[in-house]
Amino acid sequence: MIIEGKTGSWEIVVGLEVHAQVVSQSKLFSGASATYGGEPNAQVSLVDAAFPGMLPVINGYVVEQAIKTGLGIEATVNEVSVFDRKNYFYADLPQGYQISQYTRPIVSGGRLVIDLPGDTTKTIGVTRLHLEQDAGKSMHDQSPTKSYIDLNRSGVALMEIVSEPDIRSPEEAGAYLKKLRAILRYLGTCDGNMEEGSMRCDANVSVRKVGVTEFGTRNEIKNVNSIRHVMQAIEYEANRQVEALEAGESIRQETRLWDVARGVTRSMRSKEHAHDYRYFPDPDLLPLILDPKAIARIKASMPELPDAKKARFVDAYKLSPYDAGVLVAEQEQADFFETVAKGRKDPKLAANWVIVELFGALNKKGVDVTNSPVGAKNLAGLLDLIENETISGRIAKDVFQFMVETGKDAASIVAEKGLVQVTDTGAIDAAIAKVMAENAAKVDEYRAGKTTLFGWFVGQVMKGTGGKANPAKVNEILKAKLSG
């Protein structure tokens, strides 16, 4: 995205830091539950509450989840990593420090391919993935005079995934977050639920004149919890910086908040630097040393990820990259499609019905494919009826609507409503003869050269048969009859 300012063209530079909560029953360094939504302070161990003398014990499953994610973004899993203490004071951080990784993260140097309009792609570099514990939550809306602390989230395991500043537009930022969330969900390492805070994003935004290679001063927009808001915040912040620079002002490095109600970013605090946190290795935790055989075992257990699945769909089912990309965006959608397409002569027909008809109906109902009123096997049954010419494509759309409303299978609906396609040529001959007799003038026009009327005649015959005539036979017979 290029911003045309008064003094010339400006380029946006964006890097994203995603905090992804690790799917795990217990926290990073304690056995307390990491489940979302418990009563305040019901899921807190003595370690999470930082009682004196309590020692952290690392959760091995969380480490496996981080390794799996690192492999999923084609990164290097470091066989030795170190946990540090990141020191700062906040009311909901009882230790006075956050156990994180800084100098030696568990994962470094990955890449992620994003899908862009026009079936194009772009590779975004991933700098690192490190493990860290979440803080608790301050609650300011429980009393007019007091604030309360909920430590349920204290110690929950997070993966902080940091991109290179390779993103150049809000749309690329949105595509990056969608692809990363899809990979995390395929792997089962984070549920990607931004509404519940299990995936949050900090966006580092700067601008520079087109052609300039040095980065401008960046500002960090903190804790944005929806992809749409991330895109809106980046666009606003980039334009704000351009306006400021063109007015002769300088950009002060700071942390900003996205004000959803006003649609603006606003200053939160001056940006901290790493030395402000006085990082040092946590003396209670030894370096984390990984067995290469364990990494290989985890790699061997990896599922097929979105990019590989997309390539397979394009190759095996002859789908366009766009259609394949839509289907693999969520694993459940891809599985649904494969059930519908299994053994089918025309997989493209299956893709069209899933993407256009099914997804359209689900959007209207506000549900996803896991709660679809039309199951994959029932949709496949509807396509069977089209392919064996029991019903026409147009009638199939009516049947599909009944399926959405009732949850019944297609064959039952077709039988109940008498929608079997008319393939009897005698019946079709009669319907065509009737239309031609009632519209002799148009027949003359057609025969005089106005062949664009053919579609109108087809429509009249289909109307006369209640949409049940076989369209291919109607076309064939009608063309012969009109030709005289």
Side-chain angles (χ1 to χ4, degrees):
M1 174 181 172
I2 301 298
I3 299 174
E4 298 298 340
K6 296 175 183 174
T7 62
S9 302
W10 297 81
E11 180 183 49
I12 297 178
V13 178
V14 177
L16 298 178
E17 300 175 13
V18 172
H19 288 87
Q21 181 176 328
V22 181
V23 171
S24 170
Q25 291 187 345
S26 53
K27 297 181 179 179
L28 181 53
F29 296 114
S30 83
S33 172
T35 305
Y36 174 81
E39 288 294 316
N41 296 308
Q43 298 166 186
V44 186
S45 76
L46 297 177
V47 174
D48 307 323
F51 269 50
M54 297 298 106
L55 294 176
V57 177
I58 195 161
N59 180 337
Y61 181 71
V62 168
V63 173
E64 287 191 17
Q65 294 282 67
I67 294 170
K68 192 181 291 184
T69 305
L71 295 171
I73 55 175
E74 301 181 40
T76 300
V77 177
N78 299 313
E79 293 178 13
V80 180
S81 61
V82 173
F83 284 100
D84 300 288
R85 289 186 179 181
K86 181 181 180 182
N87 296 276
Y88 62 99
F89 172 78
Y90 212 73
D92 55 22
L93 186 70
Q95 293 168 142
Y97 59 84
Q98 178 186 28
I99 301 178
S100 182
Q101 295 186 311
Y102 179 54
T103 54
R104 303 183 71 179
I106 187 169
V107 168
S108 55
R111 64 192 285 273
L112 197 147
V113 179
I114 61 173
D115 301 309
L116 298 172
D119 287 339
T120 58
T121 59
K122 178 178 177 178
T123 300
I124 306 296
V126 176
T127 313
R128 58 189 277 140
L129 177 159
H130 65 256
L131 283 169
E132 64 183 26
Q133 54 179 184
D134 204 354
K137 183 174 76 173
S138 297
M139 299 186 292
H140 308 295
D141 56 355
Q142 308 293 308
S143 162
T145 58
K146 298 176 182 176
S147 289
Y148 294 91
I149 302 295
D150 176 11
L151 293 179
N152 279 354
R153 291 191 63 85
S154 179
V156 166
L158 302 177
M159 297 179 287
E160 182 168 335
I161 303 166
V162 182
S163 84
E164 293 287 312
D166 294 339
I167 295 167
R168 293 291 177 270
S169 70
E171 290 72 25
E172 289 184 10
Y176 174 90
L177 290 172
K178 287 176 184 173
K179 178 57 73 67
L180 179 59
R181 184 171 63 177
I183 291 172
L184 296 172
R185 285 179 166 174
Y186 268 69
L187 293 169
T189 57
C190 172
D191 65 22
N193 191 331
M194 298 186 81
E195 290 74 24
E196 292 180 358
S198 54
M199 184 171 157
R200 310 188 295 268
C201 179
D202 302 340
N204 289 290
V205 182
S206 65
V207 296
R208 64 184 176 186
K209 280 284 183 68
V210 171
V212 172
T213 55
E214 292 179 2
F215 291 134
T217 302
R218 64 187 163 89
N219 279 331
E220 181 184 48
I221 308 168
K222 198 75 177 169
N223 278 338
V224 190
N225 65 353
S226 94
I227 293 175
R228 181 167 58 91
H229 290 160
V230 170
M231 295 170 67
Q232 291 171 340
I234 290 170
E235 183 168 3
Y236 174 86
E237 177 61 17
N239 280 291
R240 186 192 73 81
Q241 290 185 21
V242 168
E243 285 183 20
L245 291 168
E246 292 199 324
E249 301 171 17
S250 59
I251 302 298
R252 185 169 65 103
Q253 187 168 334
E254 61 184 357
T255 299
R256 299 178 70 84
L257 287 176
W258 172 240
D259 187 328
V260 176
R262 296 170 55 205
V264 301
T265 63
R266 54 186 172 85
S267 182
M268 178 181 175
R269 59 176 182 258
S270 296
K271 174 68 180 175
E272 303 89 343
H273 298 278
H275 62 257
D276 294 327
Y277 291 115
R278 296 179 292 112
Y279 279 98
F280 63 86
D282 192 308
D284 291 336
L285 288 161
L286 292 171
L288 179 61
I289 299 173
L290 303 178
D291 182 348
K293 291 180 181 176
I295 298 173
R297 175 180 54 78
I298 292 168
K299 188 172 185 177
S301 70
M302 301 267 286
E304 183 183 42
L305 294 178
D307 287 342
K309 196 180 286 288
K310 178 182 174 182
R312 181 168 63 80
F313 279 15
V314 169
D315 181 57
Y317 298 118
K318 310 303 179 193
L319 303 184
S320 69
Y322 174 80
D323 285 351
V326 170
L327 291 169
V328 306
E330 298 286 347
Q331 187 165 20
E332 294 82 3
Q333 292 180 182
D335 292 345
F336 191 103
F337 163 72
E338 291 219 83
T339 301
V340 177
K342 187 175 182 182
R344 196 161 299 288
K345 289 183 291 186
D346 185 3
K348 181 76 171 93
L349 178 69
N352 287 343
W353 271 87
V354 172
I355 293 171
V356 179
E357 304 299 335
L358 179 72
F359 290 175
L362 297 182
N363 282 338
K364 284 182 184 174
K365 283 185 163 292
V367 299
D368 61 26
V369 74
T370 59
N371 294 305
S372 172
V374 179
K377 289 184 178 175
N378 277 358
L379 183 56
L382 176 66
L383 300 194
D384 288 343
L385 297 180
I386 298 173
E387 288 186 345
N388 65 23
E389 299 188 348
T390 301
I391 58 174
S392 66
R394 203 199 69 73
I395 291 291
K397 293 187 179 182
D398 293 339
V399 174
F400 179 74
Q401 288 306 314
F402 288 123
M403 294 170 73
V404 171
E405 292 165 11
T406 65
K408 291 182 178 178
D409 66 274
S412 300
I413 292 170
V414 168
E416 285 174 14
K417 296 189 176 295
L419 297 173
V420 174
Q421 185 167 240
V422 176
T423 54
D424 173 28
T425 54
I428 295 173
D429 276 343
I432 290 174
K434 183 170 185 292
V435 169
M436 290 177 66
E438 291 174 351
N439 299 279
K442 288 191 182 297
V443 173
D444 291 341
E445 286 181 52
Y446 178 88
R447 289 175 174 166
K450 195 173 180 181
T451 55
T452 52
L453 283 172
F454 186 75
W456 181 85
F457 280 108
V458 172
Q460 293 302 304
V461 175
M462 295 303 290
K463 186 178 176 183
T465 59
K468 293 189 285 185
N470 180 306
K473 291 190 185 301
V474 168
N475 275 269
E476 179 189 343
I477 298 170
L478 182 60
K479 191 164 286 183
K481 297 278 186 188
L482 285 174
S483 297

